[in-house]
Amino acid sequence: MTEYYINASHKKNRINKEIYGHFSEHLGRCIYEGIYVGEHSDIPNVNGMRKDVVDALREIKVPVLRWPGGCFADEYHWMDGIGPKKQRKKMINTHWGGVIEDNSFGTHEYMELARQLGCETYINGNVGSGTVREMSEWIEYMTFGGVSPMADLRAQNGHPDPWKVDFFGVGNESWGCGGNMNPEYYANEYRRYQTYVRQYAVSDQEPSINNPELIRKIACGPNTDNIEWTETVLKTLFQHNMPAYHGLTDGLSLHYYTVPGSWEHKGSATDFDEKTYYTTLSKACYMDKLIRMHSGIMDKYDPEKKLGLIVDEWGTWYDVEPGTNPGFLYQQNTMRDAIVAGIHLNLFNQHSDRVKMTCIAQMVNVLQAVLLTDGDKLVRTPTYYVFDLFKAHQDATLVASHIETIPIGNEGDPVPNLSESASVDQDGRLQITITNLSCDTAYPIHTHLAGFKAGHVDAEILTGDIHAKNTFEQPDAVKKACFSDVTLTEDGLLFTIPACSVLHLTVEAPTAS
């Protein structure tokens, strides 16, 4: 019997809804065909956005969407994507497939997508090949409500009122595709560029940590375990004894992909053995070490944890599906990916004192996508259902919890058999998510509840063989189901979690008689 302890009276910090964010780049069929088909498409759409895709994403309550990249962001010039579509400039997408980018999806279309999703906006600015003026004018175009050249241009293009930009990334992967900069150079460029991310929406220039109306600015953080980058950037941002969060920055990004093989031979998304399955999970669990490593450096400069660690690119990365454009990064999605998602989301919850936002890469048809499309067909992947199971944690309060685990998997590189997190939502219900990493073993679990009396439990589960997937021929082979085998005990709950599964339980207190 596995013992699991939850103390609902030991409340920690809020689990920001933005931890469940998504990423959409001009890459392959993510934007075009995946999200945007144009107003004249035979595929049902609202202002060019696929209705089936938007409806599916609204079901999982997408809280924030990052755009336009990714590496694409640092070759994107926003003025190419405004005005009449026939007059927009065409360009070569040099990073992703060498295809023509016609810029028919630009600022107005992104803002319309965010409106339809009901989500916050996270825009990545161009530092690599752009200018300070270009970035400054984009902010003015999007957010200034007065009389100015850019505000007038926005009105001429059909949107008189300003939009709300919630988050703005100053550069992307500046250590690599975003300019191949060293950390000192980037940090000083960041200080310069962010100065011109003007806060037009408010007159009171308080630190943005205290004023949610302000644009929250994100600095480019490290690639995986590059602690030198984190240390150097933060040291530069905190020079002159000025706290970086006093208008300078609100967060530092982190990118890490789960790659079971090498970057040259990443491995198949569907054809893998048990050893590779556990190798993949081990790589996913490395996220815990990365968060602790970079958080430790951030704690030196920001002990009050006002700066967020923003994991705005994460997920599995395999070899592309046979016969597809290698630059489009299209891959299938199995229960292995669902377990990887369950591991990550539980980790992000547990580290939500420092992790304030994350974005899975990517939303549709690219890497660990939650949706796949083919013409007018739509498939929800196993990863989609994990986000559906975890959405109850959004803006809930993390509570103290601990589960006994044993090492399983590959000899010399084991993983814990279980991962978990627990929170109390705004209605006072206890929300629990547990991931069983084992490919073949179920575990009986005795959940001990302190500070909470269980009166009723609703539960849902996603489970299946590690290779199980949804296809356009069988779109519902893997989907969530009701889980009723839960017994209430004097001090908590008893249940058995099946192998290779993600389980969500909502526990309510007894109703007054």
Side-chain angles (χ1 to χ4, degrees), residues 162-177:
W163 292 292
K164 176 74 167 69
V165 173
D166 296 287
F167 302 92
F168 193 87
V170 180
N172 166 79
E173 295 191 359
S174 300
W175 35 261
C177 65

Side-chain angles (χ1 to χ4, degrees), residues 29 34 43 69 101 125 184 188 196 201 293 299 308 321 323-324 328 383 390 413 416 419 458-459 466 469-470 506:
R29 296 188 302 112
I43 297 173
E101 165 64 57
E184 296 92 345
N188 282 300
Y196 301 95
M293 179 190 307
D299 287 346
E321 290 302 300
T324 65
F328 282 10
T383 297
F390 273 76
D413 187 26
S419 82
D458 286 317
I466 59 176
K469 62 183 182 295
N470 292 329
T506 297

Side-chain angles (χ1 to χ4, degrees), residues 285-301:
C285 289
Y286 186 60
M287 178 63 79
D288 183 48
K289 182 177 180 179
L290 289 176
I291 293 172
R292 294 178 186 276
M293 179 190 307
H294 295 294
S295 294
I297 298 172
M298 296 176 77
D299 287 346
K300 289 168 52 180
Y301 297 91

Side-chain angles (χ1 to χ4, degrees), residues 104-122:
S104 58
F105 188 97
T107 302
H108 288 252
E109 290 74 24
Y110 167 73
M111 290 296 187
E112 170 63 14
L113 173 61
R115 183 194 69 80
Q116 291 187 26
L117 292 175
C119 74
E120 293 176 313
T121 54
Y122 178 13

Side-chain angles (χ1 to χ4, degrees), residues 216-241:
R216 284 156 283 182
K217 293 174 280 191
I218 311 301
C220 173
N223 177 27
T224 311
D225 58 358
N226 188 345
I227 58 175
E228 178 190 0
W229 182 280
T230 302
E231 180 79 47
T232 303
V233 167
L234 288 177
K235 181 179 179 180
T236 304
L237 295 185
F238 277 82
Q239 282 179 348
H240 310 303
N241 296 318

Side-chain angles (χ1 to χ4, degrees), residues 25-28 31-32 67-68 72 75-76 80-81 88-94 96 98-106:
E25 184 170 5
H26 288 244
L27 196 174
I31 299 290
Y32 303 110
W67 171 85
F72 182 81
E75 67 177 20
Y76 181 66
D80 296 344
R88 296 184 187 182
K89 292 182 181 179
K90 293 179 172 59
M91 58 179 282
I92 299 295
N93 191 331
T94 59
W96 306 120
V99 296
I100 297 293
E101 165 64 57
D102 69 1
N103 281 301
S104 58
F105 188 97

Side-chain angles (χ1 to χ4, degrees), residues 430-501:
L430 182 62
Q431 304 290 348
I432 305 169
T433 46
I434 308 176
T435 302
N436 184 352
L437 284 65
S438 174
C439 66
D440 55 15
T441 304
Y443 299 100
I445 296 177
H446 183 191
T447 304
H448 304 269
L449 301 180
F452 196 97
K453 178 69 175 177
H456 178 75
V457 179
D458 286 317
E460 295 178 302
I461 194 166
L462 184 75
T463 188
D465 180 81
I466 59 176
H467 298 97
K469 62 183 182 295
N470 292 329
T471 65
F472 296 105
E473 295 72 31
Q474 293 182 298
D476 296 319
V478 182
K479 61 181 180 180
K480 69 175 185 178
C482 291
F483 182 80
S484 57
D485 192 16
V486 182
T487 302
L488 297 181
T489 67
E490 190 61 31
D491 72 334
L493 313 170
L494 280 174
F495 55 87
T496 296
I497 185 170
C500 191
S501 64

